[in-house]
Amino acid sequence: MNVAILGVGTVGSSVANILKRNQDIISARAGMKINPVVGVVKDLNKKRDCDIPLTDDINSVIARDDIDVYIELMGGVEEPYRVVSQILKKKKAVVTANKAMLAYHRYDLQNLASDTPFGYEASVAGGIPIIKSLREGLSANHIKKIIGILNGTSNYILTNMMKNSSKFEDVLKKAQELGYAEADPTFDIGGFDAAHKLLILGSIAYGVRGKPEDILIKGIKNVSSEDIFFALDFDYVIKLLAIAKKTDGKVELRVHPALIPKDNIIAKVNGVMNGISVYGDAVGESMYYGPGAGGEATASSVIADLIDIARGNKNPMLGYQPTSKLEELELLPINEIKTKYYLRLRVEDRVGVLAKITNLMSENHLSIDSFLQKPRQSSDEYTTLFFTTHISLESDVKRVMGLLQNEPYVKERPFMIRIEG
Amino acid sequence: MNVAILGVGTVGSSVANILKRNQDIISARAGMKINPVVGVVKDLNKKRDCDIPLTDDINSVIARDDIDVYIELMGGVEEPYRVVSQILKKKKAVVTANKAMLAYHRYDLQNLASDTPFGYEASVAGGIPIIKSLREGLSANHIKKIIGILNGTSNYILTNMMKNSSKFEDVLKKAQELGYAEADPTFDIGGFDAAHKLLILGSIAYGVRGKPEDILIKGIKNVSSEDIFFALDFDYVIKLLAIAKKTDGKVELRVHPALIPKDNIIAKVNGVMNGISVYGDAVGESMYYGPGAGGEATASSVIADLIDIARGNKNPMLGYQPTSKLEELELLPINEIKTKYYLRLRVEDRVGVLAKITNLMSENHLSIDSFLQKPRQSSDEYTTLFFTTHISLESDVKRVMGLLQNEPYVKERPFMIRIEG
Ligand SMILES: NC(=O)c1ccc[n+]([C@@H]2O[C@H](COP(=O)([O-])OP(=O)(O)OC[C@H]3O[C@@H](n4cnc5c(N)ncnc54)[C@H](OP(=O)(O)O)[C@@H]3O)[C@@H](O)[C@H]2O)c1
Ligand SMILES: NC(=O)c1ccc[n+]([C@@H]2O[C@H](COP(=O)([O-])OP(=O)(O)OC[C@H]3O[C@@H](n4cnc5c(N)ncnc54)[C@H](OP(=O)(O)O)[C@@H]3O)[C@@H](O)[C@H]2O)c1
């Protein structure tokens, strides 16, 4: 089986290297040899740590007749979509690790692919076979809920904030030095990377459409050391979670920092690792853990897709036959989300303030589950109040936060973290 | 697709029920309806909680022409092997949850099956798609090591011993009352159930042959409260582990209680849950967690196999093409295992004893990594010594234990637990 590698960067060069290094076992498993015959790059002068014939003329590679599978590892959205569409129209198989392209074009690609194999295991959670597990391993189940830690950078930062009581900015800097965070980390710590992956999982579980713009995406940059202390005190950890959940016949898709009980298995996914808990009606909870990024780990999934194609496996791209409409559930509007909330308020430390706040909450349907006020430092004019609520409506919480912000005794923008589980 | 359910007990009735309850989603995913047309039982008079036509005449069902897939859920070894062989000879697809049959006959069945679909996801770790993950998701990797918690009963007992400082016998009794342990628990707590599953995983990872008799199998019944205390003190947990590992071109397969560092993700698999850590050369560590037993969870995997067959997927039964010889590595003889060891000795508390023991150890190539002696209770004539060793050879450890047992100052049979990681 001849493959072309479109994009020979971090992942692409690992694919070429592993295909060579593990050729023996890959052939035994695939039933044939898998040959990387050509790689496409932008800059032919760059040094590469793999030896595969290279070209910068992508069109000549697409035009070839001797390529069986094209591996798209260039990155981007519209450019790879254009390239992959062209390839699928020629009925040639495609494997990709490109979550951004899939977040926007997965249904277009599903239509184009039809019966042509299209693998994208590497697009979610790098080396963890979560696409396969969800689409094939759990195919008997109605999926009730998926809770994913899908961004290693954010998880590294939050884990280190918790373990070493460090501040966000300090840990981010360290992560950048160690190569766990990009120079511009917005895509990771802003929740967008996780959201792309969540949309893909949401399609497999629920057939739900929607683009990144349609769902709730909050990053971790406002999580403070005080939030961490509260979490530790109340037996929670804080994680950036990607959540897909079926509620009243609609689907919630949301990415945000969340408090989760520290005994949950997913709470134990630390550092740069990823983990995904899936709840099915038959199986109950299962959890998948592993490296969410890195050249070799991601290439492991890319090659698994190649072996699947060599074996002649035929899984419908999104897990259900395109002729049937799985559920095609609608997205739940963000304001209709119901969960528990944690609120942090910085207020004047004087008589009557707490009563005003709790009144305002109860008038707006927020009922308090727990409350914490730490002794004020003598140097400090203000005090911080921590609340958790019972199950509440997102719109109620937002209204309360807006109202509180305008109260004269509230000294900072109130901060809220959703609670999960 | 018409299926026959051979054995309508705990798992079989769940299969029938889920096929009905989740018919909508299963059809969408499989691309066709999956109909359970008949079930086979021994006793037609028993009450069942599912409604599928039943018979006690298995031969009439095997003889039918309208069955596409046979699901073997009867249990046993030779009887189901005979039945399944007959079915495969007719080129009819088989799905089974029967690890005992596979522990003895997986290579015979591989030969018989040839191109006929043969699913056995449910045979290892119930609802966790570990066969699929290992055979397909990680197919690009040379597998370095698999560490599994594969028996829920044993894990429940050890977890409770650790959490509540309870004694083995007391927790076993509680487990029996709760239905987590059988009246005769030997198969589970003796490590045999885990060993059956380990042999299956070993075949996928390494193509290794071997039957339960060929590998090291130790159960948990001699794990004492003192071992638990030591573990907690030294930041370990004790788990019944099933280990497959490639060492110097040979394969170790072994099941035994083990000390593992409490920070390992697999150490966090508690209660009746199962978990499997797989280390691949490309992916690094990934871990799979979920329910290892129970009717619905196990049926989830059985039905996933059915959907795979309906989709036309064609994975070689043991993950490599029968025409190629994967690795067919040999088993490492038990005495050649090398790992760290924990030793517990009950000895007379007098001058010179410790020197004698440490001399005896060093003469036999055991080098001590840590040592603990707790203050003796005044009522107690003896004291307990705890050692951990550096990496040592199994045969050396056994020799030392044999020698120690014959020393006059040693008061009980010395006890050893292997250390992993
Ligand atoms: N890195 C990871 O850990 C990881 C994990 C999961 C998924 N992914 C996904 O995998 C994909 C690749 O990631 P990566 O980290 O390997 O990226 P990368 O290191 O930046 O490599 C991209 C490669 O594509 C080539 N390329 C880009 N645009 C091109 C064009 N228009 N024509 C021809 N070649 C082009 C580049 O050429 P030059 O070398 O000449 O610049 C480079 O070789 C992305 O979609 C990413 O989201 C990555
Ligand atoms: N239970 C679990 O959680 C679990 C998990 C993983 C794997 N498994 C495996 O799944 C298999 C089934 O387990 P199970 O718990 O469902 O067992 P079970 O409840 O004992 O059910 C066995 C069924 O097979 C029938 N049967 C037994 N021998 C038969 C024969 N010779 N001819 C016709 N019918 C026969 C029995 O009939 P009667 O009802 O008339 O007695 C019964 O319906 C076993 O291989 C087991 O190791 C079970």
Side-chain angles (χ1 to χ4, degrees), chain A residues 380-392:
Chain A
D380 195 350
E381 199 178 334
Y382 304 111
T383 188
T384 307
L385 307 182
F386 304 90
F387 299 88
T388 65
T389 72
H390 289 287
I391 299 269
S392 311

Side-chain angles (χ1 to χ4, degrees), chain A residues 24 47 76 94 132 169 239 243 254:
Chain A
D24 55 343
K47 232 188 98 55
V94 171
K132 189 171 272 295
E169 294 75 22
K239 296 285 181 190
I243 301 172
R254 46 191 167 100

Side-chain angles (χ1 to χ4, degrees), chain B residues 15-148:
Chain B
V15 169
N17 287 334
I18 297 171
L19 282 176
K20 190 167 168 187
R21 184 176 85 220
N22 289 359
Q23 193 186 311
D24 53 344
I25 209 160
I26 290 171
S27 300
R29 289 179 178 148
M32 60 183 71
K33 202 163 165 286
I34 300 180
N35 310 305
V37 292
V38 63
V40 178
V41 295
K42 272 195 300 205
D43 180 358
L44 280 173
N45 294 319
K46 234 189 243 179
K47 233 190 97 50
R48 320 263 159 191
D49 60 352
C50 66
D51 59 350
I52 160 176
L54 293 179
T55 170
D56 57 2
D57 179 4
I58 195 164
N59 292 321
S60 73
V61 174
I62 299 175
R64 278 170 70 159
D65 285 330
D66 62 335
I67 311 280
D68 303 298
V69 187
Y70 288 84
I71 311 175
E72 186 280 301
L73 296 169
M74 310 187 300
V77 176
E78 296 309 325
E79 168 70 358
Y81 173 53
R82 197 187 53 71
V83 168
V84 167
S85 300
Q86 230 182 312
I87 296 167
L88 289 174
K89 281 182 191 142
K90 292 183 66 180
K91 305 253 172 247
K92 294 287 189 159
V94 170
V95 171
T96 182
N98 190 332
K99 55 234 165 198
M101 174 177 73
L102 290 165
Y104 285 95
H105 292 298
R106 61 201 182 282
Y107 288 99
D108 310 318
L109 291 167
Q110 183 195 32
N111 285 337
L112 273 175
S114 175
D115 283 339
T116 309
F118 186 99
Y120 57 102
E121 181 62 80
S123 69
V124 181
I128 308 174
I130 183 60
I131 302 293
K132 188 171 272 295
S133 297
L134 187 61
R135 185 177 62 174
E136 304 160 39
L138 304 180
S139 55
N141 291 263
H142 275 283
I143 303 300
K144 295 179 170 176
K145 189 162 78 167
I146 298 172
I147 297 188

Side-chain angles (χ1 to χ4, degrees), chain A residues 18 21-32 121 127-129 132-143 163 204-206 263 265 268-270 273 281-291 296-301 303-305 307-308 311-316 319-322 324-327, chain B residues 18 21-32 121 127-129 132-143 163 204-206 263 265 268-270 273 281-291 296-301 303-305 307-308 311-316 319-322 324-327:
Chain A
I18 297 171
R21 184 176 85 222
N22 289 0
Q23 192 185 310
D24 55 343
I25 208 160
I26 290 171
S27 300
R29 289 179 178 149
M32 61 184 71
E121 182 62 81
I128 309 174
K132 189 171 272 295
S133 297
L134 187 59
R135 185 177 63 173
E136 304 161 39
L138 304 180
S139 55
N141 291 262
H142 274 283
I143 303 299
K163 293 234 158 130
I204 299 174
Y206 302 116
D263 279 343
I265 186 87
K268 295 168 180 172
V269 174
N270 286 325
M273 301 302 267
D281 68 336
V283 74
E285 180 181 8
S286 60
M287 200 278 281
Y288 307 84
Y289 168 93
E296 288 257 320
T298 308
S300 166
S301 288
I303 297 174
D305 279 343
I307 295 175
D308 253 4
R311 285 171 172 173
N313 285 338
K314 286 184 263 200
N315 292 292
Y320 51 93
Q321 308 296 332
S324 74
K325 303 210 169 251
L326 180 72
E327 312 200 52
Chain B
I18 297 171
R21 184 176 85 220
N22 289 359
Q23 193 186 311
D24 53 344
I25 209 160
I26 290 171
S27 300
R29 289 179 178 148
M32 60 183 71
E121 181 62 80
I128 308 174
K132 188 171 272 295
S133 297
L134 187 61
R135 185 177 62 174
E136 304 160 39
L138 304 180
S139 55
N141 291 263
H142 275 283
I143 303 300
K163 293 234 156 129
I204 299 173
Y206 303 115
D263 278 345
I265 186 87
K268 295 168 182 173
V269 174
N270 286 325
M273 299 303 267
D281 68 335
V283 74
E285 180 181 9
S286 60
M287 200 277 283
Y288 308 84
Y289 167 92
E296 288 257 322
T298 309
S300 167
S301 288
I303 296 173
D305 279 344
I307 295 175
D308 253 3
R311 284 171 173 173
N313 285 339
K314 287 184 261 201
N315 291 293
Y320 51 93
Q321 308 295 332
S324 74
K325 302 209 169 252
L326 179 72
E327 310 198 52

Side-chain angles (χ1 to χ4, degrees), chain B residues 127-170:
Chain B
I128 308 174
I130 183 60
I131 302 293
K132 188 171 272 295
S133 297
L134 187 61
R135 185 177 62 174
E136 304 160 39
L138 304 180
S139 55
N141 291 263
H142 275 283
I143 303 300
K144 295 179 170 176
K145 189 162 78 167
I146 298 172
I147 297 188
I149 294 176
L150 298 177
N151 184 265
T153 307
S154 303
N155 203 39
Y156 175 87
I157 292 174
L158 290 173
T159 303
N160 273 272
M161 285 176 73
M162 300 215 67
K163 293 234 156 129
N164 314 320
S165 311
S166 321
K167 281 195 174 154
F168 176 81
E169 295 76 20
D170 299 338

